[in-house]
Amino acid sequence: MRALTGLRGPRAPRAPSAWPLLLVYLIAGTPWSLADGDPPDSPFTNLVGEEMMTKYSNLSLEIHSISLTDKSSMLVEKNITLEKPSNMELTCQFTTSGDLNSINITWRKGDELLENNNYLINASGNTLYTQYTFTIINSKQMGSYSCFFEEEKEQKGTFNIKVPELHGKHKPLITYVGDSTVLVCKCEHCFPTNWTWYRSNGSVQVPVDVHMNDKYVINGKHANETRLKIMHLSEEDGGSYWCHAIFQLGESEEHIELVVLSFLVPLKPFLAIIAEVILLVAFILLCEMYTQKKKKHPEEGKEFEQIEQLKSDDSNGIENNAPRHRKIESGNQ
């Protein structure tokens, strides 16, 4: 942990144009702070020491910065994409209305405290600057680097350094049995050293067998993309596929979901509609038949009543005629 202490007398603030003078003495082994005055004469006056510059002179320089204030209430982060070894220059700027000498400044990689002779602290007016310079040459150096300004309230800025992300099809890719399909993965503005395809088998990723030329073909039109062609699809080919990219500083992968349907599947909704129509027509016909039958029963009842009435009338007529015949016979006698 380092604090700005021992500021003596009025000191003209460094102009913003003097910022390139904020150099980290990585190999000098002697920390320097604002209290020490002007930087001492040293052969290590570049972003990295002479030895490191010679060793990594062919590497590009990545410069990134974050601005904080003592009023900041939200976490300040910056994502950095890196695919090959590079020299890194990370700068945090902290503006405060308090006493600069009371502020402690530290750097951490994840939870690991970084040595204070690897970064520089400087000031200009009411603004503190801290700069951490290093070289990333392998995947272990990737991760989150954070600067901390500890006053009454701690302020933190974080640089997240990671390999590029891959881009595939986020929605499931739907195709049919017997067809062929192509799964595509891309990496925007990056060039992986190698591509590999995997297929999920339960919780395990199994490499796609590229030797099955009649089933799988892997190629790509450009170095930043890969294509997996799957032929003679069956329902068993459905599932999760993963494209895997290897960079000099790490690996990245993307997931694509493949759904393989039989030809009957699209017909199921139409078959269901047809079945519903048939049931509806059958119901209507049954109702019609029932209505017609119900109309016929009253007519048959009326006919039956009429017949019974006629029979009753006939029987009454016979009975009425019988006394008349008897009266006639008695008169004749």
Side-chain angles (χ1 to χ4, degrees):
M1 184 178 296
R2 179 186 295 181
L4 288 176
T5 57
L7 285 174
R8 297 182 296 275
R11 182 184 180 93
R14 296 178 185 267
S17 60
W19 246 104
L21 295 176
L22 296 180
L23 306 176
V24 181
Y25 302 101
L26 290 171
I27 306 177
T30 303
W32 175 84
S33 68
L34 183 63
D36 300 323
D38 292 328
D41 293 331
S42 169
F44 309 104
T45 54
N46 290 321
L47 290 174
V48 291
E50 183 178 340
E51 180 182 345
M52 296 184 69
M53 284 297 292
T54 302
K55 187 175 182 180
Y56 303 115
S57 60
N58 60 328
L59 300 183
S60 61
L61 175 63
E62 294 279 336
I63 301 175
H64 300 275
S65 62
I66 281 179
S67 296
L68 301 163
T69 71
D70 55 0
K71 306 299 182 182
S72 299
S73 59
M74 298 180 64
L75 180 64
V76 180
E77 290 185 291
K78 184 173 185 179
N79 295 323
I80 303 172
T81 299
L82 206 62
E83 61 175 300
K84 59 184 179 181
S86 302
N87 293 316
M88 304 297 298
E89 181 180 299
L90 307 180
T91 302
C92 290
Q93 172 184 325
F94 179 67
T95 302
T96 179
S97 56
D99 182 12
L100 299 183
N101 294 315
S102 65
I103 300 174
N104 292 322
I105 301 175
T106 56
W107 280 85
R108 291 179 180 271
K109 180 184 182 297
D111 295 327
E112 176 188 356
L113 183 66
L114 298 173
E115 294 182 7
N116 61 4
N117 64 332
N118 285 354
Y119 56 87
L120 176 71
I121 300 170
N122 207 343
S124 176
N126 62 344
T127 301
L128 279 173
Y129 302 91
T130 180
Q131 186 181 86
Y132 181 59
T133 306
F134 61 107
T135 301
I136 291 182
I137 59 174
N138 57 52
S139 60
K140 293 181 179 179
Q141 295 172 288
M142 304 289 278
S144 297
Y145 291 80
S146 301
C147 55
F148 293 83
F149 296 87
E150 299 177 35
E151 199 177 10
E152 294 180 359
K153 179 182 178 183
E154 182 182 81
Q155 298 293 345
K156 171 185 175 183
T158 300
F159 300 88
N160 299 311
I161 306 175
K162 55 186 179 180
V163 294
E165 295 181 351
L166 305 182
H167 303 280
K169 189 177 180 65
H170 296 291
K171 294 182 179 180
L173 180 61
I174 301 176
T175 185
Y176 298 96
V177 171
D179 286 350
S180 298
T181 191
V182 178
L183 309 183
V184 181
C185 267
K186 293 183 179 181
C187 183
E188 298 293 338
H189 310 298
C190 59
F191 301 93
T193 58
N194 189 36
W195 289 97
T196 309
W197 282 92
Y198 294 86
R199 181 184 176 185
S200 293
N201 184 5
S203 59
V204 180
Q205 292 185 6
V206 180
V208 171
D209 189 357
V210 295
H211 299 293
M212 297 177 61
N213 296 330
D214 59 337
K215 185 67 176 178
Y216 303 108
V217 176
I218 298 177
N219 55 34
K221 293 182 179 180
H222 308 284
N224 67 332
E225 73 171 23
T226 179
R227 295 169 177 262
L228 172 63
K229 183 177 182 180
I230 309 175
M231 297 169 285
H232 313 297
L233 287 167
S234 64
E235 292 188 39
E236 289 73 22
D237 291 320
S240 298
Y241 289 81
W242 298 83
C243 59
H244 192 86
I246 299 177
F247 301 92
Q248 295 181 50
L249 296 176
E251 303 175 358
S252 186
E253 62 183 11
E254 177 63 301
H255 163 256
I256 300 177
E257 191 74 20
L258 177 64
V259 179
V260 182
L261 305 176
S262 68
F263 286 105
L264 291 177
V265 172
L267 297 177
K268 286 182 179 179
F270 299 101
L271 295 175
I273 293 173
I274 292 173
E276 290 178 0
V277 171
I278 292 174
L279 289 174
L280 181 61
V281 171
F283 178 75
I284 293 173
L285 291 175
L286 288 174
C287 290
E288 186 68 22
M289 292 172 62
Y290 177 79
T291 304
Q292 294 294 333
K293 187 174 181 181
K294 193 173 182 181
K295 287 180 179 180
K296 290 180 179 180
H297 280 306
E299 294 178 356
E300 291 177 356
K302 290 180 181 179
E303 291 179 357
F304 179 76
E305 290 178 359
Q306 290 176 356
I307 293 170
E308 290 297 322
Q309 184 65 36
L310 290 173
K311 287 181 179 180
S312 176
D313 292 342
D314 290 342
S315 61
N316 290 334
I318 293 171
E319 290 177 358
N320 292 333
N321 289 333
R324 185 178 297 175
H325 286 301
R326 283 196 288 268
K327 288 180 180 179
I328 293 172
E329 289 177 357
S330 61
N332 291 333
Q333 290 176 0

